[in-house]
Structure formats: structure tokens, C-alpha cells
Amino acid sequence: MEDDVFLVRFWGVRGSISVSGSEFCRYGGNTICIEMRCGEHTLLFDAGSGLRPAGGALRASGVTAFDLFFTHCHYDHIIGLPAFKPIYDRSVKVRLWSGHLAGRMTTRQMVDEFMRPPWFPVTLDICKASIDCRDFASGDVLRPREGVVVRTGSLNHPGGCIGYRVEWSGRVVAVITDTEHEPGKLDQAVLGLIEDADLVIYDCAYTEEEMERYRGNGHSTWEQGVKLCEAAGARELAMIHHDPARTDEQLDEIEKLAKDRFAGAFAARDGQTLEFPVLSHKAR
């Protein structure tokens, strides 16, 4: 990995539940997992089913130290953790971060709750890696690695959810999943996280027409994602959290509609990689 590139790789982009079949081949069926490489530093966001192939790739490339940030702990965002092989490797050092349950449950307690019998055969204690659980509150500014700044904010989702803004070497990438917008309003918290971002990774589970049926589920639309990016001066919009019933052909059509409105929009795919050459601070 070159030190002059900010790399983003999508290991899972599906929402709610993983899917398989001939209608889901091109965009993929894994639930949310996003990797960022800030030079020598590796960050992961969410532990959906995409975390399993991400783990294989990390091991193959010799990465043994990284940070994993949870947006929240609904099933589709944590299901991959028990199948994440690096946590069973004693040579690995990983930090787990969460903030959506601040004051109610620590990161360690959260992971212990879902990785234990009867939900899973064994407890977290079986893991041989060095696991350091970190807690924060929404709004905190995190500095997990030298030169990497992670800003946090609350999203509108049942049970709470955290949005992240990652800043490194003059580049900005924001992760905004899961969140529900109010009709006719732009979420000020989201705008703050995505301002002038090179890439906004946004919850586009539904269309505006579908929102009437799904109001209260805690998700947003590609139309709202476009509006937010335009208002914030963001450059690209990666649409994620695809509805599990959304086929490749349907996502093709949504991508076309979104691009007609905002040239930087695209529907993210499992395995897709983006690279952003670093900038000096003056260049932004």
C-alpha cells in the first residue's frame, strides 16, 4: 500500500440481510463492511457479512494491526465478527470502537452479548488476538492512528447509530449508514459530517416513493443523498445499504437516475476499490 493514497474498499454494501443468487451477482450480497487504508493505517467500518472476506484479504496482505468501528449493533452490521479470522490469530492487534450505546453499554459488553451461547457456540475469550475495546460518545473526535482524525455524530436510526468522518492527508471520506431523513429537511448533523468530502458513503436503501411505506425503519433514499451532497459540496456519493430485494438491474436503473442528478453518484458494489491521491492541507 502506497503512503500517498487514501484507499476505500467495499466488502459489503447490502442492507438488512445478506442475499445470494443470479440477480445479485454484480452488486453483491454481503452486508455492510467498508475498509479504509490511510497510508499504512487500516480502518474497518462495521462487521457485516462482508467482514469475512475482508479478513482473508487482510491476512493475505500481512496486516496485523487495525481499528474496527461499529456504527451500531443491529444484526446486519455485526454478523460477520465471529467469522472474522484475524481475531483468532495471536499475532493480530485490533481495536474495537463504538459510541451509539454510550452510557448504556460498553463496547466490550456489546460484543460479549452477541458472541456467546446460545447465540454463538463460544465466547470472545476464545479469540487469541489482542483485542482492545474503546468507547466514545457521539460528537467525540477520535485519533486512532498517527495523522488520522475521525469525527463522529449521531444518526437518526432506531436504537442509535453513529456517522463517521475520516480525515487524512487532506482527504475526507464520510460513512453515513443507517439514517432516516425528515421529509423536506436536510439533517444538519449529516451535513456537518460530509461537508466538502471527497466521498460520502450514504444509506440509500429506498426511493422517495418507497419511503411512504417504510417511514420509521431508519433508512434514507438516493434522492436525499444527492441533495445532501449538493448542499455540502461533496464530490462523490457512494450509495450503499441496498434493499435486499433490489436486483442488479434495479440498481443499474437507480444508479442512472442518480447520475443524471449528480455526476459523482454511483451504486457501490462488493469488492469495489477507490483510490484518492493525498493532498497537502493547502490544496483543500
Side-chain angles (χ1 to χ4, degrees):
M1 176 63 196
E2 297 294 334
D3 288 345
D4 60 352
V5 173
F6 190 148
L7 180 145
V8 178
R9 181 175 289 124
F10 298 96
W11 290 106
V13 295
R14 192 69 58 169
S16 301
I17 193 169
S18 57
V19 295
S20 63
S22 60
E23 294 180 306
F24 310 104
C25 290
R26 285 187 286 109
Y27 289 92
N30 280 320
T31 58
I32 304 297
C33 180
I34 299 157
E35 176 187 355
M36 297 188 196
R37 298 273 186 109
C38 300
E40 64 180 349
H41 306 306
T42 299
L43 314 179
L44 296 168
F45 293 85
D46 274 344
S49 62
L51 188 64
R52 187 197 62 79
L58 291 180
R59 296 183 79 188
S61 61
V63 175
T64 58
F66 49 88
D67 296 80
L68 171 57
F69 297 83
F70 292 94
T71 63
H72 62 307
C73 56
H74 288 163
Y75 288 139
D76 51 328
H77 295 260
I78 63 172
I79 195 68
L81 188 63
F84 185 47
K85 288 189 176 180
I87 62 174
Y88 302 99
D89 184 341
R90 66 178 66 255
S91 70
V92 167
K93 295 181 179 180
V94 56
R95 288 190 295 224
L96 305 179
W97 301 76
S98 76
H100 66 291
L101 296 174
R104 292 177 287 165
M105 183 178 288
T106 67
T107 301
R108 177 71 193 209
Q109 288 171 330
M110 177 189 75
V111 177
D112 281 342
E113 281 294 307
F114 66 76
M115 197 168 167
R116 66 176 176 84
W119 326 117
F120 190 67
V122 294
T123 68
L124 190 64
D125 292 334
I126 198 174
C127 299
K128 302 303 181 184
S130 172
I131 299 176
D132 180 7
C133 293
R134 301 288 184 94
D135 306 314
F136 66 88
S138 174
D140 286 353
V141 178
L142 314 176
R143 291 177 170 81
R145 304 284 170 174
E146 184 177 357
V148 180
V149 177
V150 180
R151 304 187 189 277
T152 66
S154 295
L155 304 179
N156 182 25
H157 191 66
C161 187
I162 295 291
Y164 294 98
R165 174 188 175 93
V166 182
E167 302 172 356
W168 179 73
S169 289
R171 293 294 192 178
V172 176
V173 177
V175 179
I176 310 297
T177 182
D178 306 27
T179 194
E180 182 171 327
H181 65 279
E182 293 186 42
K185 295 184 179 180
L186 297 180
D187 189 319
Q188 295 301 307
V190 172
L191 286 174
L193 290 170
I194 71 173
E195 182 180 3
D196 199 31
D198 295 287
L199 176 67
V200 176
I201 303 168
Y202 188 75
D203 176 0
C204 297
Y206 305 129
T207 66
E208 284 296 329
E209 182 180 8
E210 292 169 338
M211 280 299 290
E212 294 305 313
R213 302 198 302 273
Y214 296 116
R215 186 69 60 190
N217 283 13
H219 298 292
S220 192
T221 68
W222 69 262
E223 293 97 331
Q224 189 71 7
V226 166
K227 291 178 182 177
L228 286 162
C229 285
E230 289 176 334
R235 294 160 184 76
E236 290 189 81
L237 167 64
M239 298 181 286
I240 65 164
H241 210 286
H242 307 315
D243 184 278
R246 199 85 71 195
T247 65
D248 289 338
E249 289 71 20
Q250 290 169 334
L251 285 169
D252 284 344
E253 180 60 25
I254 286 175
E255 183 178 69
K256 181 179 182 301
L257 292 170
K259 279 186 176 295
D260 287 345
R261 289 267 305 277
F262 184 72
F266 63 94
R269 307 171 184 225
D270 284 7
Q272 184 175 8
T273 300
L274 305 176
E275 294 186 358
F276 301 92
V278 301
L279 302 173
S280 68
H281 292 293
K282 292 182 180 179
R284 288 188 68 85

